[in-house]
Amino acid sequence: TLSTTSILPSTRRETDDGHAIIHHHRVEEPMSVASIITARPCNMPMPSLSTFRVPDAATKIRCFQSPPPRWHLVSHASQDSNDADTLNGFVVKGKQFLDDLGSGLSRSPEFDRSVVTRELWDTEQLGKRGEPYVLGQVVLGLLVIAPIINLEPVVRILAFSAVSLATVIILSSLGTLGSSLTPLPKPRENAMLKTDGMFKYMRHPLYMGLILGSFGLAVLTSSLSRGMFAVALTIVLNYKAEFEEEKLVEKFNEDYIRYMSAVKRFWIL
């Protein structure tokens, strides 16, 4: 509570570089005004309330309630400019990659057989130069070219297990969401933050189930087309999850930020 001689108006304005200037004015004595200025980026997590103490009293004053954190502070014009810069960067890097690729192809490889032979027969350094990695590289490379071991039954069992697990995860997540379930990434007005069930292990179990089931089905049916579509689905769901998390942060504020810091987006990913 504020005394009759203490007032606490607060104002907020944003600067051009994306910072917020928050002014808190407090009248501690008649005709004496103290001003506290805090500057911080708007996209940094802010406390839900700040507490200041009046020098002449033991009462703590709630001075302001912070707005929801904002992920995107740039205007449409600056966003378009950033997109153009990103595209130009890809073009420049692409040209540089092609130039370096051509430069390497124009050179003849330098391979001294005698030096390599001495290195391989140097028993004093045996086991200290990463020989197991070279052996694994050679063996697995030969198996890729000529697979003498048929692992298809094992792979099909793993793929079937992945599809089954994905189905269970999806059904369990649907039950946990209940009335909060919506196909749209923006949460409903009456939605509640779910952190139990499968949401205890991943922030988007429905998406994880779809991704896991898609790849499992592609492997189970030996379909390269399904595999490519599974990759495309993964990319789309990742962008959808990012958009959805922005909306969830706006709705649940610090509660969802703490949840994001404790739980990964797609299980182990």
Side-chain angles (χ1 to χ4, degrees):
T1 57
L2 293 174
S3 64
T4 56
T5 59
S6 299
I7 59 174
L8 191 60
S10 63
T11 59
R12 176 189 177 95
R13 67 182 181 85
E14 294 185 10
T15 61
D16 294 334
D17 56 355
H19 288 67
I21 307 299
I22 305 174
H23 298 266
H24 306 288
H25 303 285
R26 182 177 64 217
V27 178
E28 300 174 355
E29 298 177 358
M31 305 303 294
S32 175
V33 179
S35 177
I36 302 173
I37 301 178
T38 304
R40 63 184 299 156
C42 296
N43 60 345
M44 294 292 291
M46 298 176 64
S48 58
L49 60 87
S50 292
T51 303
F52 296 95
R53 185 181 294 276
V54 179
D56 297 334
T59 304
K60 289 185 177 181
I61 302 174
R62 293 180 179 182
C63 60
F64 74 95
Q65 184 71 28
S66 68
R70 298 166 58 190
W71 276 176
H72 297 291
L73 301 173
V74 295
S75 63
H76 293 292
S78 59
Q79 183 65 45
D80 294 340
S81 176
N82 291 337
D83 293 341
D85 293 340
T86 303
L87 180 59
N88 293 333
F90 279 129
V91 172
V92 172
K93 290 182 179 179
K95 292 181 179 179
Q96 183 178 358
F97 173 78
L98 294 177
D99 292 341
D100 294 337
L101 185 64
S103 175
L105 292 174
S106 63
R107 302 174 184 175
S108 58
E110 298 179 1
F111 183 78
D112 193 335
R113 183 177 301 178
S114 60
V115 174
V116 175
T117 302
R118 286 198 302 269
E119 289 178 343
L120 294 177
W121 290 100
D122 185 5
T123 57
E124 294 182 358
Q125 299 294 326
L126 186 63
K128 301 179 181 179
R129 299 169 300 177
E131 288 87 345
Y133 298 108
V134 178
L135 179 62
Q137 173 186 341
V138 173
V139 172
L140 292 177
L142 292 176
L143 288 175
V144 170
I145 298 174
I148 60 176
I149 302 176
N150 185 13
L151 296 179
E152 289 188 8
V154 178
V155 173
R156 290 185 181 278
I157 292 175
L158 294 176
F160 179 78
S161 301
V163 173
S164 302
L165 178 60
T167 303
V168 174
I169 290 176
I170 291 174
L171 293 176
S172 176
S173 303
L174 291 175
T176 303
L177 281 175
S179 60
S180 299
L181 177 64
T182 173
L184 300 175
K186 182 177 181 180
R188 292 175 177 171
E189 294 297 330
N190 60 345
M192 299 180 62
L193 179 59
K194 302 292 184 179
T195 58
D196 56 338
M198 290 293 98
F199 292 90
K200 187 190 303 182
Y201 306 97
M202 60 198 98
R203 301 201 297 268
H204 301 277
L206 285 174
Y207 300 163
M208 184 61 201
L210 290 173
I211 294 172
L212 183 62
S214 299
F215 281 104
L217 185 61
V219 174
L220 187 62
T221 58
S222 301
S223 174
L224 182 59
S225 298
R226 283 196 175 100
M228 297 300 295
F229 288 130
V231 172
L233 178 62
T234 302
I235 296 173
V236 171
L237 290 178
N238 184 65
Y239 279 108
K240 183 182 178 183
E242 289 182 356
F243 180 84
E244 183 174 342
E245 288 172 354
E246 293 175 6
K247 299 303 179 182
L248 289 169
V249 168
E250 292 177 0
K251 182 173 180 59
F252 298 109
N253 301 337
E254 288 83 2
D255 290 339
Y256 197 80
I257 294 177
R258 287 192 294 268
Y259 176 64
M260 290 176 66
S261 63
V263 180
K264 294 183 179 181
R265 175 178 291 171
F266 294 139
W267 203 357
I268 61 175
L269 302 181

